[in-house]
Amino acid sequence: MAESSGGNTFLAFIVGALLVLVVILFLALGGVNLFTGGGGGGPDVNVDIQAPAPGGGDGGGN
């Protein structure tokens, strides 16, 4: 039984390392931000686009 404990320890190490890697990637890619206590979203961006009216924008229709 002692011979297989080395393999089990190595497997546990690999699983733990993968778990840490997944958590780091989750936080780096916008997961829950632990420092602000909020959810993942980025900054609030409001964009207002206004196109000119047809006919040159003077309201004359020509």
Side-chain angles (χ1 to χ4, degrees):
M1 206 65 162
E3 295 128 13
S4 66
S5 66
N8 290 340
T9 304
F10 181 73
L11 182 62
F13 176 79
I14 294 297
V15 170
L18 288 175
L19 182 63
V20 168
L21 181 64
V22 167
V23 169
I24 289 174
L25 286 175
F26 176 75
L27 293 175
L29 295 176
V32 177
N33 193 345
L34 298 177
F35 301 108
T36 61
D44 187 20
V45 178
N46 296 321
V47 178
D48 186 18
I49 300 175
Q50 296 179 356
D58 59 357
N62 292 335

